[in-house]
C-alpha cells in the first residue's frame, strides 16, 4: 500500500527539470492533438495527492477527470487487480466468459435507479458505451433519430462527436458527423435568467421549450432516444432546474422514446448519490456509466430495462476487450469500497464544505457569477462583474496560478469560464481546505 505523504509540497518550480525533460520528449514523440492540462508528469498518486517526477506533491482536485473517485490506487483495487492479473489477463468474454463480468452486471443492475428487471453490457470507454446505448435504443424502437442537448459532452468517437455540442476542440475539422442527431435547448438556470426568472427556476417550463423543438424539428415517430447528462460535465457542471428531467422522461415514456442518462461523469457516488438521477427522482430507461466505475481501469457499461437491453440480436453487441477481467475486478473492488466506506455520504460532506467556502468567496467577489453542483462535483462560473459575460481569461489565469502553486484544478464550460472541482472522496478536509485556500489567494491576486 502506498505511503504517499498527504501534504502539498513544492520541491522545484512547476514544472521541475525532470517534467520539463518529459515535456520535450512528449513534443517529439506524441501527437500534438493530445493536449495536457498540467505541466508536470505523475510518478505516484494516493488519497488527495499526486506526486510528480520532481518530488512535488500536488493537491488533487480533479481525480483524473472524475475517475479516481475512491482515491488513486485504492487498496482493495490494488489487491483485486494483482490477484486477477496473476489468474488471467484476458480470454474475451465473447469467447470464454468469466464470472467477474457477470458480477459487475449484477451490481450495476442492483445499484442503478429503477426496480424492474435489468440487464447490463460492458465496454471500454464512455464514448463506446454511449454509442452502444444508441444502438440498443435504435434496435428496440426501430427508429433512428437521437436528441442531445446544448452544452452536452458525450465523447470523441464519430457518433459521440455528433452528440457533443462544443466545436472547439472536440469537433473542429473532424467532420462529417453521424446523421440523424438533433440538438435541444437545455435548462441552464444561471444563463436562463436572461430569458426571465420563470424559465430559470421552473424546470417544467424549460422542458416545454426543449420538447417543442423536439416535437417540431424531429417528431416522436422518428425519435429513438433522448440522451442527457443529469448534470452536464464538460459543458459546465450545469444542474438543470427542478422538474426539467422528470418532464423530459415523462414525455419519452408517453412517446415510445428511450430516455438515456449519460452518467459517465456523475456516476458512482460522485454527486452524493450513487447516481445523479436519484436527486431528480427519475428512472432512466438506459444509464451509461464509465469514469468512476473502476478507479482508473478502462471500463464502461450500459444498464437498463431488460426488454430494451435484450432487443439487439444475439452477438449484435460486443468488442474484443469489453469487460476486461482486470477492469471487472477493479470495478467490484470499487463498488465494495464505495459501499463499505460510506463514500456516498462523504461526497455530501464535501458538498457542504465546498459550497459553504465558495459561497462565502462569491459573496465578496462579483467575478464569481455562480457556484453550483452536487456532492464532490462543484463548480464556479466566472463573469465580468455585474454581467453574464463569460470571463475565460480570468478562468485560465486562475487555473494556471493554482497549478503553479501545487493544486490540480480543471476548467470546463462551453465558454471556458468554469472552474470545476472533482476531488477524490478520500481527500481529507484539511487538504481540501488547503486547496481552496490556495485558490482564494491566487484569485485575490488576479
Ligand atoms: C468523459 C465523458 C464521456 C466520454 O468518456 P470517454 O471514456 O472519454 O470516452 C461521455 N460522457 C460524459 C458525460 C463524459 O463526462
Amino acid at each position: 500500500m502506498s505511503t504517499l505523504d498527504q501534504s502539498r509540497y513544492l520541491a522545484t518550480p512547476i514544472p521541475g527539470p525532470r517534467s520539463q525533460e518529459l515535456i520535450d520528449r512528449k513534443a517529439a514523440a506524441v501527437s500534438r492533438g493530445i493536449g495536457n492540462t498540467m505541466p508536470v508528469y505523475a510518478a505516484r498518486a494516493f488519497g488527495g495527492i499526486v506526486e510528480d517526477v520532481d518530488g512535488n506533491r500536488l493537491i488533487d482536485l480533479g481525480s483524473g477527470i472524475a475517475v479516481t473517485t475512491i482515491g488513486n490506487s485504492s487498496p482493495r483495487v490494488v489487491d483485486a487487480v494483482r490477484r486477477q492479473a496473476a489468474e488471467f489477463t484476458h480470454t474475451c468474454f465473447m469467447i470464454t466468459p468469466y464470472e467477474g463480468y457477470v458480477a459487475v452486471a449484477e451490481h450495476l443492475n442492483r445499484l442503478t435507479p429503477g426496480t424492474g428487471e435489468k440487464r447490463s453490457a460492458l465496454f471500454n470507454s464512455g464514448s463506446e458505451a454511449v454509442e452502444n446505448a444508441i444502438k440498443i435504443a435504435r434496435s428496440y424502437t426501430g427508429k433512428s433519430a437521437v436528441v442531445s442537448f446544448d452544452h452536452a459532452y458525450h465523447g470523441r468517437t464519430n457518433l459521440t462527436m455528433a452528440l457533443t455540442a462544443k466545436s472547439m476542440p472536440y469537433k473542429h475539422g473532424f467532420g462529417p458527423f453521424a446523421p440523424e442527431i438533433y440538438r435541444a435547448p437545455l435548462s441552464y438556470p444561471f444563463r436562463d435568467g436572461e430569458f426571465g426568472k420563470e424559465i430559470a427556476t421552473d424546470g417544467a417550463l424549460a422542458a416545454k421549450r426543449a420538447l417543442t423543438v423536439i416535437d417540431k424539428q424531429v417528431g416522436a415517430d422518428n425519435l429513438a432516444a433522448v440522451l442527457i447528462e443529469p448534470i452536464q460535465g464538460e459543458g459546465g457542471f450545469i444542474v438543470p432546474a427542478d422538474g426539467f428531467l422528470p418532464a423530459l422522461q415523462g414525455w419519452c415514456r408517453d412517446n415510445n422514446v428511450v430516455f438515456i442518462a449519460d452518467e459517465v461523469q456523475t456516476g458512482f457516488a460522485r454527486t452524493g448519490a450513487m447516481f445523479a438521477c436519484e436527486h431528480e427522482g427519475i428512472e432512466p430507461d438506459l444509464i451509461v456509466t464509465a469514469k468512476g466505475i473502476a478507479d482508473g481501469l478502462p471500463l464502461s457499461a450500459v444498464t437498463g430495462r431488460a426488454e430494451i437491453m435484450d432487443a439487439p440480436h444475439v452477438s449484435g453487441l460486443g468488442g474484443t476487450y469489453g469487460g476486461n477481467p482486470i477492469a471487472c475486478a477493479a470495478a467490484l473492488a470499487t463498488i465494495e469500497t464505495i459501499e463499505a466506506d460510506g463514500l456516498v455520504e462523504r461526497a455530501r460532506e464535501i458538498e457542504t464544505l465546498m459550497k459553504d467556502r465558495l459561497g462565502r468567496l462569491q459573496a465578496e467577489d462579483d467575478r464569481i457569477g455562480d457556484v453550483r453542483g452536487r456532492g464532490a462535483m462543484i463548480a464556479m462560473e466566472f463573469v465580468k462583474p455585474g454581467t453574464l459575460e463569460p470571463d475565460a481569461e480570468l478562468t485560465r489565469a486562475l487555473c494556471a496560478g493554482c497549478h503553479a502553486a501545487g493544486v490540480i484544478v480543471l476548467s470546463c464550460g462551453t465558454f471556458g469560464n468554469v472552474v470545476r472541482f472533482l476531488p477524490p472522496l478520500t481527500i481529507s478536509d484539511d487538504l481540501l481546505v488547503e486547496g481552496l485556500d490556495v485558490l482564494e489567494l491566487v484569485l485575490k491576486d488576479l
Side-chain angles (χ1 to χ4, degrees):
M1 183 171 141
S2 176
T3 53
L4 192 52
D5 194 335
Q6 294 295 299
S7 63
R8 181 173 63 111
Y9 172 70
L10 293 182
T12 70
I14 303 282
R18 298 201 52 211
S19 279
Q20 188 55 55
E21 212 174 285
L22 286 161
I23 289 168
D24 297 341
R25 278 172 59 194
K26 185 251 183 193
V30 178
S31 163
R32 183 175 78 128
I34 308 283
N36 301 125
T37 298
M38 295 292 300
V40 298
Y41 275 70
R44 295 192 298 163
F46 188 78
I49 291 289
V50 175
E51 187 177 70
D52 77 9
V53 289
D54 291 291
N56 299 300
R57 290 196 301 273
L58 316 173
I59 298 177
D60 183 10
L61 301 184
S63 302
I65 320 189
V67 170
T68 54
T69 303
I70 64 167
N72 236 299
S73 295
S74 186
R76 288 185 189 88
V77 172
V78 172
D79 278 352
V81 164
R82 278 213 179 99
R83 237 179 298 123
Q84 181 57 48
E87 299 292 342
F88 62 95
T89 50
H90 172 86
T91 58
C92 186
F93 189 73
M94 300 179 303
I95 307 297
T96 316
Y98 38 87
E99 181 177 352
Y101 188 118
V102 178
V104 170
E106 287 167 348
H107 280 294
L108 287 167
N109 299 347
R110 170 177 68 86
L111 291 168
T112 48
T115 49
E117 200 176 332
K118 285 182 241 164
R119 304 274 188 273
S120 290
L122 305 185
F123 305 97
N124 301 290
S125 68
S127 310
E128 192 188 358
V130 170
E131 293 233 2
N132 277 278
I134 304 295
K135 282 163 69 171
I136 293 164
R138 284 176 170 161
S139 173
Y140 174 72
T141 59
K143 302 186 279 186
S144 59
V146 178
V147 162
S148 66
F149 286 80
D150 288 334
H151 312 289
Y153 183 84
H154 297 294
R156 295 175 182 260
T157 56
N158 186 263
L159 177 56
T160 58
M161 268 195 297
L163 294 161
T164 290
K166 193 173 176 178
S167 175
M168 188 58 105
Y170 306 124
K171 304 165 75 166
H172 177 78
F174 299 141
F177 304 111
E180 285 306 299
I181 307 294
Y182 301 87
R183 196 164 304 285
L186 184 72
S187 165
Y188 190 159
F190 178 61
R191 296 203 164 269
D192 280 348
E194 217 172 348
F195 309 112
K197 190 168 178 323
E198 222 185 332
I199 197 147
T201 53
D202 182 347
L205 195 63
K208 200 170 152 210
R209 174 175 65 182
L211 290 169
T212 302
V213 170
I214 294 170
D215 185 43
K216 296 302 164 205
Q217 297 184 22
V218 191
D221 289 349
N222 305 304
L223 186 57
V226 166
L227 169 69
I228 191 164
E229 301 153 84
I231 299 174
Q232 232 85 1
E234 305 303 303
F237 283 25
I238 304 163
V239 184
D242 271 350
F244 181 71
L245 292 170
L248 291 180
Q249 190 192 14
W251 182 88
C252 286
R253 190 175 293 143
D254 293 343
N255 288 281
N256 185 35
V257 172
V258 177
F259 183 78
I260 307 173
D262 179 347
E263 291 234 26
V264 168
Q265 192 153 160
T266 51
F268 291 98
R270 174 54 59 188
T271 67
M274 193 57 103
F275 296 100
C277 284
E278 295 168 41
H279 300 295
E280 313 284 341
I282 56 166
E283 296 178 358
D285 298 314
L286 300 181
I287 176 163
V288 182
T289 53
K291 292 198 166 96
I293 192 173
D295 200 30
L297 279 286
L299 187 71
S300 64
V302 183
T303 299
R305 283 168 46 204
E307 68 190 90
I308 302 176
M309 288 298 296
D310 283 341
H313 49 277
V314 173
S315 298
L317 305 176
T320 306
Y321 297 112
N324 167 272
I326 300 174
C328 285
L332 295 172
T334 298
I335 291 164
E336 185 189 341
T337 299
I338 291 171
E339 295 193 305
D341 295 356
L343 294 184
V344 170
E345 292 71 35
R346 176 62 187 150
R348 290 199 209 118
E349 287 173 14
I350 288 175
E351 172 174 350
T352 304
L353 187 158
M354 294 198 69
K355 279 197 171 157
D356 176 59
R357 177 65 187 271
L358 298 179
R360 276 185 283 138
L361 201 55
Q362 182 189 18
E364 58 194 43
D365 191 331
D366 55 9
R367 297 171 296 178
I368 305 173
D370 198 19
V371 173
R372 59 176 178 252
R374 290 194 202 274
M377 183 174 183
I378 303 291
M380 293 193 291
E381 178 160 357
F382 287 94
V383 291
K384 305 276 198 241
T387 73
L388 287 178
E389 198 187 323
D391 196 340
E393 201 48 56
L394 175 65
T395 304
R396 249 190 307 276
L398 176 58
C399 289
C402 288
H403 299 165
V407 179
I408 301 174
V409 293
L410 312 174
S411 63
C412 66
T414 296
F415 311 106
N417 67 328
V418 177
V419 174
R420 59 170 151 174
F421 304 97
L422 294 160
L425 303 178
T426 47
I427 196 170
S428 68
D429 282 359
D430 285 350
L431 214 48
L432 183 55
V433 166
E434 188 181 340
L436 298 178
D437 287 343
V438 168
L439 174 102
E440 179 168 347
L441 281 173
V442 173
L443 182 60
K444 288 198 162 141
D445 261 4
L446 288 169

